[in-house]
Amino acid sequence: MSDLNKLGLAEARDALRSGDVTSVELTDACLKAIDEADALNAFVHKTPELAMERAKAADERIQRGDAPSMCGLPIGIKDLFCTKGVPSQAASKILEGFKPEYESTVSQQLADAGAVMLGKLNMDEFAMGSSNETSTYGNAVSPWRRGNDDAQLTPGGSSGGSASAVAADLCLAATGTDTGGSIRQPAAFVGITGIKPTYGRCSRWGIVAFASSLDQAGPMTKNVRDAAIMLETMCGHDPKDSTSAELSVPNFEAMLTGDIKGKKIGIPKEYRMDGMPAEIEKLWADGAAMLKAAGAEIVDISLPHTKYALPAYYVIAPAEASSNLARYDGVRYGRRAQLAQGDGITEMYEKTRAEGFGPEVQRRVMVGTYVLSAGFYDAYYNRARRVRTLIKKDFEDVFAAGIDAILTPATPSAAFGLGEMTEADPVQMYLNDVFTVTVNLAGLPGISVPAGLDAQGLPLGLQLIGRPWEEGDLLNTAYALENAAGFVAKPGKWW
C-alpha cells in the first residue's frame, strides 16, 4: 500500500487487522511526511523513537488478537496535553523546558489503547487565540492556499497545529481542546471533522487549563467515522477530575447508521448575522436542504440570548484564565527570568511573567483580573454568569420542545491570511468564535463537518449542536450530513 499517511483511522485499523500493513509501516510513513512538512510548523516536538517503540508494541498486540480500535494508529497530541518525559509547553515561553513526570488522562487512555504518538502539535499560547499566531513556536500554517495566491493562511486556533497536521496527512488524527470553538473553528478552516463533546465527557486532568468551566478535549479527524472511533477512546469517567461525568461510554461508531428520518433539526434565527457572507448563508441553506432530503424535519427556532454570548464568554474565560495562570511564576517549573542583584521574590514573579507570557495572554490575564476585582466582580463576572445561565436555558427549552440537533455555520468566513488581522481590533479576531462559544457556555456537544468550498477554493464547515451526553446521535446526524455533502477536496501539496 502506498501513501499510508493518507489513510483515515477506520481504513488504517482495518488494514492493520487484515495484515495488509503494519503499525511500523504506518508510523514510518507519517514520520517521513512530518519531516517533509516543516514549512507548516505543525509538529513542534517530534518523538520518532517513542513512536517506533509504540508501533512495534502495537504490532505485537495486534498479532495476539488483543487490539482495541485505536491500536497501532499514529496520531498527534496538542501541546496542551501533558505527556510524560516529553516537552509540554502549552506553546508558551513560560513553560520552556517543562517535561512532566505524569501523563494526561486522555493521552494515557489513547496510549493504553495502543495509539502511537508521533509528537506534540503547535497551538495558540495557553489556547488563547483563533489563528495560531500567539504561539512561542511561531505560526502554524494551513496546508491550503487561496487559488493561485501564495499567501500563507491560518489553520485556525487554538488547535491550529492539530488541524494543519490532519489536513496535510502528517498524522491520521489528532487531539484538540475546545474552550470557545478551538476544535470546531480550525476543523472548518482546513476541511476536516472536529467534535467537542459534552462538558465532562473527557477528563481534563493533565491538560493545561485555560478556562476550567469551558475547556473540553476532543478528536480532530479526517471524517465522522474516525471522530466516533477516537472519541470513544478519549471518553470515560476519571476520579482525578471532579467535573468528569460518571457515565458509560457507548460504541459511537456502531451508532453511525446515517438514518435521520424524523429527526428535528433546529435553525436558530439569531445566527443570521448582519453582514454574513453570501457563501456562508448559502452553505447553511444547502446544509438544511441536505438534512431535509435525508428525512429530517427542519424547524425554525429561537435562542434569544445568543447576542450576549460573545461578551459573556470574553468575561468568563479571561476571569478563569487569570486565576489558572497565577501558578506560572518561575518558582517550581518552567522558565525563570534572570534577576538583578537585590531582586526579591516580587521582582522574580514580575519579570518571569512579563517575559514568559505573550501579548494575548497578558491581555486576557489583565482583563480577567479586572473583572474579578472587588469593584467590578458583580458588574461584570456575576452578570456574565447570569447570562450564561440564560443561554443554557435557551438550549434546554429548544431541546425540551423536541429538537434533536441544531444546524449553524461553523465560522463567519473561510480561513484568512496570517498577519491579516494584526492591525485589527482584538474584538474582530474574537468574532471568529461567534457561532461556537454558545456551545461551551452551555456545556453542549458540537461538531464541525466540512460541507463545501468558497469562491477561492477554501473549505467551509457547518456546525451541528446536540443534546447533552448524546454524542452518538449527534455523530450520526453529522454522518448523514457528511454523506450528503460529499466533501472530498484536499489541499494541493506546496510545502
Side-chain angles (χ1 to χ4, degrees):
M1 296 177 76
S2 59
D3 293 334
L4 295 176
N5 55 302
K6 294 184 179 178
L7 295 175
L9 294 177
E11 296 169 285
R13 175 196 61 188
D14 296 345
L16 285 167
R17 300 301 175 278
S18 64
D20 292 339
V21 69
T22 66
S23 179
V24 166
E25 290 169 335
L26 269 176
T27 302
D28 184 58
C30 289
L31 291 173
K32 284 175 180 170
I34 291 166
D35 284 339
E36 292 171 3
D38 286 344
L40 298 178
N41 199 27
F43 275 87
V44 291
H45 298 294
K46 301 175 187 178
T47 56
E49 295 85 2
L50 178 62
M52 275 303 179
E53 182 185 311
R54 289 190 180 178
K56 287 171 186 172
D59 282 332
E60 291 172 9
R61 195 169 171 182
I62 291 165
Q63 285 182 338
R64 292 196 305 269
D66 165 37
S69 287
M70 287 296 295
C71 189
L73 302 178
I75 61 171
I77 302 291
K78 185 177 179 179
D79 195 39
L80 207 65
F81 293 77
C82 287
T83 43
K84 187 174 181 180
V86 178
S88 305
Q89 284 186 233
S92 180
K93 192 176 180 181
I94 206 164
L95 279 174
E96 199 171 72
F98 177 53
K99 293 183 180 180
E101 289 302 314
Y102 54 89
E103 189 85 20
S104 79
T105 298
V106 166
S107 56
Q108 186 66 60
Q109 286 173 183
L110 288 163
D112 290 346
V116 175
M117 184 177 82
L118 297 164
K120 304 297 286 291
L121 292 159
N122 206 348
M123 56 176 281
D124 278 300
E125 184 182 8
F126 283 106
M128 297 183 195
S130 301
S131 62
N132 215 134
E133 292 177 279
T134 69
S135 170
T136 191
Y137 309 118
N139 302 338
V141 180
S142 173
W144 289 84
R145 290 284 173 93
R146 283 186 287 227
N148 296 319
D149 189 346
D150 285 339
Q152 292 187 337
L153 303 180
T154 175
S158 65
S159 306
S162 299
S164 180
V166 174
D169 294 316
L170 309 187
C171 53
L172 273 53
T175 61
T177 61
D178 193 309
T179 305
S182 289
I183 285 175
R184 292 159 289 150
Q185 182 250 27
F189 274 3
V190 301
I192 65 170
T193 299
I195 180 168
K196 180 206 90 72
T198 310
Y199 181 80
R201 257 297 184 201
C202 291
S203 171
R204 291 183 300 109
W205 194 86
I207 301 173
V208 178
F210 165 11
S212 301
S213 73
L214 301 165
D215 299 344
Q216 193 61 191
M220 302 179 72
T221 60
K222 297 177 185 181
N223 54 56
V224 173
R225 183 173 297 278
D226 289 358
I229 292 167
M230 189 167 174
L231 181 62
E232 185 180 343
T233 302
M234 293 172 68
C235 289
H237 178 246
D238 178 11
K240 297 195 291 289
D241 174 8
S242 62
T243 62
S244 172
E246 202 163 348
L247 290 172
S248 61
V249 180
N251 182 338
F252 294 128
E253 187 184 10
M255 300 173 79
L256 300 180
T257 63
D259 181 5
I260 57 167
K261 290 184 179 65
K263 294 287 183 186
K264 289 187 176 181
I265 309 296
I267 307 293
K269 64 181 183 182
E270 288 80 9
Y271 281 60
R272 286 198 165 84
M273 303 175 61
D274 292 339
M276 182 188 286
E279 288 174 323
I280 301 291
E281 188 80 55
K282 183 180 184 302
L283 184 83
W284 193 9
D286 289 347
M290 289 175 203
L291 292 172
K292 186 175 182 179
E297 179 186 346
I298 305 302
V299 182
D300 288 327
I301 61 169
S302 177
L303 299 167
H305 295 94
T306 295
K307 62 184 175 183
Y308 305 116
L310 212 56
Y313 174 84
Y314 279 103
V315 169
I316 292 168
E320 295 187 11
S322 75
S323 176
N324 279 326
L325 269 59
R327 72 193 70 173
Y328 303 108
D329 52 20
V331 175
R332 296 192 180 192
Y333 48 80
R335 190 176 189 279
R336 180 182 296 182
Q338 288 291 109
L339 303 180
Q341 193 167 2
D343 280 349
I345 193 165
T346 302
E347 288 79 13
M348 187 195 73
Y349 288 160
E350 290 173 350
K351 289 182 179 180
T352 296
R353 289 169 66 82
E355 290 178 15
F357 291 145
E360 182 61 30
V361 173
Q362 290 182 17
R363 178 188 292 119
R364 297 199 198 191
V365 167
M366 287 190 288
V367 168
T369 304
Y370 178 80
V371 301
L372 289 175
S373 60
F376 302 101
Y377 188 89
D378 283 329
Y380 292 104
Y381 185 64
N382 267 343
R383 183 173 293 182
R385 288 171 62 205
R386 288 195 291 273
V387 168
R388 180 181 190 171
T389 302
L390 294 171
I391 290 167
K392 190 168 184 286
K393 188 175 185 304
D394 286 347
F395 283 105
E396 288 169 352
D397 291 346
V398 162
F399 290 135
I403 295 296
D404 295 291
I406 297 165
L407 180 72
T408 78
T411 60
S413 69
F416 49 90
L418 290 167
E420 287 181 4
M421 301 282 271
T422 306
E423 300 303 318
D425 184 309
V427 175
Q428 288 299 114
M429 184 70 89
Y430 299 164
L431 286 171
N432 276 285
D433 302 329
V434 68
F435 298 126
T436 52
V437 294
T438 52
V439 179
N440 299 79
L441 288 167
L444 299 171
I447 187 169
S448 174
V449 179
L453 298 172
D454 76 351
Q456 296 176 304
L458 296 179
L460 296 171
L462 286 170
Q463 174 181 232
L464 283 161
I465 304 166
R467 296 167 174 265
W469 314 115
E470 295 189 16
E471 288 85 0
D473 196 55
L474 177 65
L475 283 159
N476 186 49
T477 306
Y479 186 59
L481 179 61
E482 177 184 66
N483 289 338
F487 184 91
V488 293
K490 296 287 287 184
K493 187 173 178 180
W494 55 264
W495 58 93

